[in-house]
Each structure stands twice: as structure tokens, then as C-alpha cells.
Amino acid sequence: QVQLVESGGGSVQAGGSLRLSCATSGFTHNTKCMGWFRQAPGKEREGVARIYSSTDQRGSIVRYADSVKGRFTISQDNAKNTAYLQMNTLEPEDTAIYYCAAKGGSCPPSFDGDGMDYWGKGTLVTISS
């Protein structure tokens, strides 16, 4: 039984920062894809950031949406089975429900989240101007 639980959402003013956490349980893969996705009001879900990692290869590959490059950073702590999304210089356009998702093995071809196997329930991020 795989479970993902997001935390760290909240309301902040533009220019502020938040760090989202994604605690996983029952999900242990040497090679995996972890991602953050968001859905704003009236918008389709979009990929925010994802990280492909392989402990066997001792490396990782990250990808970011153009809109968050330079502002957001995805990371993970395998010892804690937790992924993070550090969000800096937040903008009102970042307001959305943020979801964490996971998949064993390689990342899916689509960056929007299609193909990810496990999902959290989401955490709300609200940025005021």
C-alpha cells in the first residue's frame, strides 16, 4: 500500500517562500520518478518539477516547468522517504493545489503527470499580491 502525503502549503505574500514536503510510505525503489504537479483554478494540471533518480547509478536528473525555473527546487531525502519542493520568489500565478506523485522506474513521457502511478491528495498554496 503506497501512500503519499503532502504538507507545507499555506498562504503567503508575493515574493515569499514555502517548502512543500511529500512523505511516502510503502514506496521503495532504487530507480524512481518523483514529481510535483499543480492545478490552478480554471486551469489544467501542469507539471512543476520532477526528479529521476537511481541509487544504483548514484545520480539524478531534474526537470522544471519554464515558469518556475530559477525559483523552485525539487529534492529528495531517501533516508526519510521524503521529497521536497522549495519554492522561492512566489508569484500570484503560483496559486494552485500542489500534488506529489511517484512512479517506480523511469519518468513517463508526459511532463503533466499522466503516467505517474501514485498520488497524494494535494496541498493548497495561495499567493497574494
Side-chain angles (χ1 to χ4, degrees):
Q1 184 71 31
V2 176
Q3 291 186 321
L4 282 67
V5 180
E6 303 97 335
S7 62
S11 299
V12 298
Q13 291 185 312
S17 298
L18 284 172
R19 188 180 76 159
L20 306 183
S21 298
C22 175
T24 71
S25 62
F27 184 75
T28 56
H29 293 275
N30 291 331
T31 302
K32 61 187 177 186
C33 180
M34 298 289 300
W36 288 95
F37 309 85
R38 68 186 183 187
Q39 187 162 22
K43 301 289 186 65
E44 295 184 354
R45 185 186 66 208
E46 65 175 338
V48 177
R50 72 183 189 186
I51 179 169
Y52 166 83
S53 62
S54 173
T55 56
D56 292 340
Q57 300 179 31
R58 301 175 63 84
S60 62
I61 301 173
V62 299
R63 178 181 175 183
Y64 296 97
D66 289 341
S67 60
V68 308
K69 287 181 180 177
R71 300 189 298 120
F72 291 10
T73 303
I74 187 172
S75 62
Q76 61 186 5
D77 186 334
N78 288 323
K80 297 181 179 180
N81 297 314
T82 302
Y84 304 93
L85 184 69
Q86 179 66 48
M87 305 186 295
N88 298 326
T89 319
L90 285 161
E91 304 169 350
E93 292 74 20
D94 295 317
T95 295
I97 298 176
Y98 284 71
Y99 300 91
C100 176
K103 176 181 178 295
S106 61
C107 291
S110 178
F111 188 58
D112 66 5
D114 288 350
M116 299 295 284
D117 292 331
Y118 309 105
W119 291 82
K121 295 182 178 180
T123 184
L124 178 63
V125 171
T126 303
I127 312 302
S128 60
S129 60

